[in-house]
Amino acid sequence: MAPRIVDNHTTDSYRVNVIGTNSPVLVVLEGDQHPPRMGPIEASALVRYTREDGLAEALRGADALFLYDFQSSALRDVWSSADRLRWVHVAAAGVDPVLFPELRESQVVLTNSRGVFDGPIAEYVLGLILALAKDFAHTIELQRQGRWLHRESERIAGARVLVVGTGPIGRAIARMLRAVGMQVTGMGRRSQADDPDFGTVRPSAELVRWLPEMDYVVAVAPLTEQTKGMFDEAAFAAMKPGARFVNVGRGALMDTSALVAALRDGRLAGAALDVFETEPLPDDSPLWNLPGVLVSPHMSGDFVGWRDTLVEVFADNFQRWQTGRPLRNVVDKQLGYVPSRGV
Amino acid sequence: MAPRIVDNHTTDSYRVNVIGTNSPVLVVLEGDQHPPRMGPIEASALVRYTREDGLAEALRGADALFLYDFQSSALRDVWSSADRLRWVHVAAAGVDPVLFPELRESQVVLTNSRGVFDGPIAEYVLGLILALAKDFAHTIELQRQGRWLHRESERIAGARVLVVGTGPIGRAIARMLRAVGMQVTGMGRRSQADDPDFGTVRPSAELVRWLPEMDYVVAVAPLTEQTKGMFDEAAFAAMKPGARFVNVGRGALMDTSALVAALRDGRLAGAALDVFETEPLPDDSPLWNLPGVLVSPHMSGDFVGWRDTLVEVFADNFQRWQTGRPLRNVVDKQLGYVPSRGV
C-alpha cells in the first residue's frame, strides 16, 4: 500500500498552510488508528502517513519518523530505505522493537515517550496487586455463578515487593506502593542506599539473592540484552513460596515456560501479566486459565486520552527539533533506554 | 441446643485452672466457628459457648456476652433472659443488629471492635475503585473466554470521591485514597474545614448537594435511624452521570431498588457492593449480573487472621472489665457508634 502523503502544498491536505520548500519530511507509521491532533505538525512539515507495507517507500528522502505504531519492528527490514533519516520517535516507553544494530550504530537520534505512562501504570500495578491479595478474580467468578462464598483475604500493608526497573515507571510504582504501606525495594543496574523513591535499590546481579524475601515481584525493566529472560527457572525457584509475579514491562523479561512450571507446581501463588513473549497471547497458552493468574492485553498504561498525550509529547519534541533545541527523552542506544538524570 | 459450658471446675473444661467462685459468667455466642485463642479468658471466667438457639438459657445469670456471631440479632428475642447482664461486646465495627430499644435503654454497656477493620477495608475499597477504573471484571471475563481485547482504562488520580462516614474506617479509606492521588471529601454529622484525614467534611444533610461533583461515592457510615436508606432514589438521581457507588458499610444504607434502577438506566457506570439489604444476596437479585457491578460477600474487612484479632480485642477489654479499668470502644447507644475523640 502506498503511503498517503499529506503535503500542505496540495489541495487534499488537512491544512492549507503554505510551508517552505525546505520543510522537513516526516513519516508517520500508523497502526490500526490514525494519530489524533496532527494538525499543528502537518502545518510545518510534509507528512507521509503509512502502514508497515508502505514504510520503505515513505522513508526515502524522509528526515524524521514517528513510530505511532510503537509495536512495529518493520523499520529494521526497510532500514536501507532510510537514506536521509535523522530522527526516530517512538510512541511508547519501551524502544526494544527498534534497537537493532543498524539503528544503534547509526547517527539517527532515538527518542521515546518517557513520562506518559508512569502514573497510569503505577495505578494499574497497585490494582493488580490488590486484585491478587483480595482474590477479586475468584470473587468475580463466584458472582458470575451467583454464589455467595465468604473468604478471608490478604493485607498488602507490610508486604514486601521488589520493583525490578528503576526508570520513571518503576519509580512511580514504588512511590504508589509505599504510599499504601507496602515495603518496597528497587532493583536496577546500580545499588543505591537512600533512593528518594525506593529507599534501597539492589543491583540486578543480586536478583536471586533478594527474591526469597519478596511477597510480590514487579517486572518493569526495559528489555535489553541484559534483562532479556532475567526471570528464568532459577529466579522463579528462588522466589518465596506463595509469592506472586507481576509483569508490566515486556514479556521477554520472563521465561514463560519457567513461569508456567512455577505456577503449576504451586511454588508461586499467582501472577498478573499484562505483557507476553508473544502478543496477542496465543490461544493455546496455558496462562489463559492457570489458577491465580490474571491476563490482561498489554493495556496497563493505556488510559483514556493516552493517544492524544502521545501525540502531544511527539509534537513538543517535533517543535524542538525544528527549532534546533535539544530533544527530550533521548534514548541511550547502547543502554536501550533514556538514562535517568543523576540517579 | 443447650449451651456447652466450659467451667474450669469441671474435667471437661479446656483448662484446669481453678478460678474463684465469684468468677464472672461469660456467654459466647458462636457462629459457624468456635472463636480461637479463648484459653486466657477461660482461665478466669466460667464460659458458656452457645449458638442462637441456646442463647436464652445461657444468658440466665450471665454477667457478660461476647457476640462472636456479630451478625446475629437473636439477643433481642431473648432479652428477658438477660437477668444479670452488664456488658455486651460485639466482634464487629457495626453494632446495628443489637441496637434494639431494650438494650439501648438498659444499663448494659456495649462495646465493639473498632480499629480492627480500618486498614483492611481501606485496602479493599481502594482495590474496588481500581477494579472499576481499570475494568478488571471485563478483563477477567475476557480471560475466561480466552479473548485478547485491548481497551483504554480510567485514571484514578484526580478523581473525586465522597467518603460517607467519618469513623475510623472512613478515615483510613480517606487517607489511603488521598495517598494515591484521589480528591477526597468526607461526609459526616458535622461539617469540618481542616480535617486531618479528609481535608473537608460536609454535613450529611447536604448529601444531594455534593453528590453531583463526585466520580465515586463510598458508603461506610454506621447504620442508624439517621443513615438508613440515605442512598435513595433522590441520591442516585443526584449523582454525576457515569459515577460509581461503593458500599462497604451496611446494605440498608441504600435503597436497593433505586440503585438497580440507576444502574439499569445507565446513570451510574457501576457499583461495587460488599454489603446488601439481605445477606446472603438472594439468588434472584438483579445485582448478581448487572453490567459494571461487583458483588462480594461481606468480606471487605476479613483479612487472614481477623478472627484471632477479634478475640484479642475482646480479651483486652475482658481483662479491663475484670480489673475495673475503663473499657475500650464503648458505643454511644443513642448515636449507634463509638464517638470519635475530638473530631
Side-chain angles (χ1 to χ4, degrees):
Chain A
M1 190 171 70
R4 181 168 58 85
I5 297 177
V6 178
D7 179 341
N8 291 323
H9 299 278
T10 69
T11 52
D12 63 345
S13 67
Y14 286 131
R15 308 206 165 224
V16 292
N17 312 43
V18 174
I19 57 176
T21 48
N22 289 326
S23 295
V25 176
L26 168 68
V27 173
V28 177
L29 183 66
E30 301 183 291
D32 301 335
Q33 298 186 35
H34 184 72
R37 304 192 185 195
M38 287 293 288
I41 293 163
E42 291 169 6
S44 59
L46 195 149
V47 183
R48 299 172 180 166
Y49 292 98
T50 186
R51 301 238 176 150
E52 285 185 342
D53 55 3
L55 185 58
E57 184 184 342
L59 275 178
R60 284 192 197 96
D63 301 286
L65 171 62
F66 176 27
L67 287 173
Y68 184 69
D69 179 2
F70 53 85
Q71 292 180 312
S72 171
S73 56
L75 181 60
R76 179 175 198 161
D77 298 331
V78 300
W79 184 249
S80 60
S81 302
D83 52 5
R84 208 173 84 174
L85 197 64
R86 288 177 288 147
W87 173 38
V88 174
H89 179 89
V90 181
V95 295
D96 44 289
V98 295
L99 279 181
F100 50 89
E102 296 84 349
L103 186 143
R104 264 191 172 156
E105 288 148 25
S106 73
Q107 295 299 311
V108 173
V109 174
L110 181 63
T111 57
N112 76 355
S113 304
R114 178 183 170 100
V116 172
F117 301 101
D118 304 357
I121 294 182
E123 290 181 358
Y124 204 91
V125 166
L126 176 57
L128 292 175
I129 288 174
L130 281 164
L132 292 168
K134 306 304 180 187
D135 205 17
F136 283 168
H138 190 191
T139 301
I140 288 167
E141 173 60 17
L142 289 165
Q143 178 181 349
R144 197 181 68 80
Q145 299 172 8
R147 288 177 60 202
W148 179 277
L149 182 64
H150 179 275
R151 293 105 59 216
E152 297 173 353
S153 68
E154 295 172 21
R155 296 294 312 267
I156 64 164
R160 297 203 58 173
V161 54
L162 184 70
V163 178
V164 180
T166 55
I169 301 175
R171 290 181 176 278
I173 292 170
R175 288 191 299 270
M176 185 153 288
L177 301 185
R178 289 176 94 182
V180 298
M182 299 189 83
Q183 293 189 62
V184 174
T185 301
M187 179 157 280
R189 280 195 310 148
R190 284 184 300 272
S191 102
Q192 178 89 11
D194 294 306
D195 185 275
D197 299 317
F198 292 102
T200 303
V201 176
R202 303 291 183 186
S204 306
E206 296 179 3
L207 177 65
V208 170
R209 172 171 167 198
W210 298 107
L211 283 175
E213 297 188 9
M214 303 298 166
D215 301 299
Y216 294 88
V217 176
V218 178
V220 65
L223 180 62
T224 67
E225 285 309 312
Q226 286 70 46
T227 62
K228 189 173 179 177
M230 69 186 292
F231 294 98
D232 56 10
E233 195 179 331
F236 292 123
M239 280 177 71
K240 185 174 173 174
R244 298 187 178 99
F245 179 69
V246 177
N247 192 350
V248 291
R250 283 289 183 263
L253 295 173
M254 64 192 180
D255 175 336
T256 304
S257 306
L259 173 61
V260 168
L263 288 160
R264 280 198 171 135
D265 76 11
R267 178 160 195 97
L268 298 189
L273 308 170
D274 188 57
V275 291
F276 303 89
E277 285 193 81
T278 305
E279 294 179 9
L281 185 63
D283 288 346
D284 62 353
S285 170
L287 290 172
W288 283 113
N289 42 35
L290 271 182
V293 175
L294 298 176
V295 167
S296 60
H298 202 148
M299 59 180 275
S300 72
D302 302 347
F303 59 97
V304 175
W306 67 303
R307 293 182 179 279
D308 289 353
T309 305
L310 285 171
V311 174
E312 283 163 18
V313 167
F314 171 67
D316 174 69
N317 246 358
F318 186 77
Q319 200 172 42
R320 291 166 172 273
W321 185 65
Q322 282 203 302
T323 54
R325 286 178 294 151
L327 292 179
R328 284 199 169 123
N329 307 339
V330 176
V331 173
D332 180 321
K333 294 188 289 181
Q334 300 315 311
L335 290 174
Y337 51 87
V338 180
S340 297
R341 287 160 295 223
V343 195
Chain B
M1 190 172 70
R4 182 169 57 86
I5 296 177
V6 178
D7 179 342
N8 291 323
H9 300 276
T10 68
T11 52
D12 63 346
S13 66
Y14 287 131
R15 308 205 166 227
V16 293
N17 311 42
V18 173
I19 56 176
T21 48
N22 290 325
S23 296
V25 175
L26 168 69
V27 173
V28 177
L29 183 65
E30 301 183 292
D32 301 335
Q33 299 186 36
H34 185 72
R37 303 192 185 194
M38 289 292 289
I41 293 162
E42 291 168 5
S44 59
L46 194 150
V47 183
R48 299 172 179 166
Y49 293 98
T50 186
R51 300 240 177 149
E52 284 185 342
D53 55 3
L55 186 59
E57 184 182 340
L59 276 179
R60 284 190 197 96
D63 301 284
L65 171 62
F66 176 26
L67 286 172
Y68 184 68
D69 179 0
F70 52 86
Q71 294 179 311
S72 172
S73 55
L75 181 58
R76 178 175 199 161
D77 299 329
V78 300
W79 185 248
S80 60
S81 304
D83 52 4
R84 206 172 85 172
L85 196 63
R86 288 177 286 145
W87 172 39
V88 174
H89 179 89
V90 181
V95 295
D96 44 288
V98 295
L99 279 181
F100 50 91
E102 297 84 348
L103 186 141
R104 265 192 171 156
E105 288 148 23
S106 73
Q107 296 298 312
V108 172
V109 174
L110 180 63
T111 57
N112 75 356
S113 303
R114 178 184 170 99
V116 172
F117 300 101
D118 305 356
I121 294 182
E123 290 181 358
Y124 204 90
V125 167
L126 176 58
L128 292 176
I129 288 175
L130 281 164
L132 292 169
K134 307 303 180 188
D135 204 19
F136 283 168
H138 190 191
T139 301
I140 287 166
E141 174 59 17
L142 289 166
Q143 177 181 349
R144 196 181 68 81
Q145 299 172 8
R147 288 177 59 201
W148 179 276
L149 182 64
H150 179 274
R151 290 107 58 219
E152 296 173 353
S153 67
E154 295 170 23
R155 297 294 311 269
I156 63 163
R160 297 203 59 174
V161 53
L162 183 71
V163 178
V164 179
T166 54
I169 301 175
R171 291 181 175 279
I173 292 170
R175 288 192 298 271
M176 186 153 289
L177 300 186
R178 289 175 95 181
V180 298
M182 299 189 84
Q183 292 189 64
V184 174
T185 302
M187 179 158 279
R189 280 195 311 148
R190 285 185 299 272
S191 105
Q192 179 89 12
D194 294 305
D195 185 275
D197 299 317
F198 291 102
T200 303
V201 176
R202 303 291 183 187
S204 305
E206 296 179 4
L207 177 65
V208 171
R209 171 170 167 198
W210 297 106
L211 284 176
E213 298 188 9
M214 303 299 167
D215 301 299
Y216 295 88
V217 176
V218 178
V220 65
L223 180 61
T224 66
E225 285 309 310
Q226 286 69 46
T227 62
K228 190 172 179 178
M230 69 185 292
F231 294 99
D232 56 11
E233 195 180 330
F236 292 124
M239 280 178 70
K240 185 174 175 174
R244 298 187 178 99
F245 179 70
V246 176
N247 193 350
V248 291
R250 282 289 184 263
L253 295 173
M254 64 192 179
D255 174 339
T256 304
S257 306
L259 173 62
V260 168
L263 288 161
R264 279 197 174 138
D265 76 12
R267 177 159 196 99
L268 299 189
L273 307 170
D274 189 56
V275 291
F276 302 89
E277 285 193 79
T278 306
E279 295 180 9
L281 184 63
D283 288 346
D284 61 354
S285 170
L287 290 172
W288 282 112
N289 43 35
L290 270 182
V293 175
L294 298 175
V295 167
S296 61
H298 202 149
M299 58 181 275
S300 72
D302 302 346
F303 60 97
V304 175
W306 68 302
R307 292 182 179 278
D308 289 353
T309 305
L310 285 171
V311 174
E312 283 163 17
V313 167
F314 171 68
D316 174 69
N317 246 358
F318 186 77
Q319 200 173 42
R320 291 167 172 272
W321 184 67
Q322 282 203 302
T323 54
R325 285 178 293 151
L327 291 180
R328 285 200 169 123
N329 307 339
V330 176
V331 173
D332 179 321
K333 292 188 287 181
Q334 299 315 312
L335 288 174
Y337 50 88
V338 180
S340 295
R341 285 161 296 223
V343 194

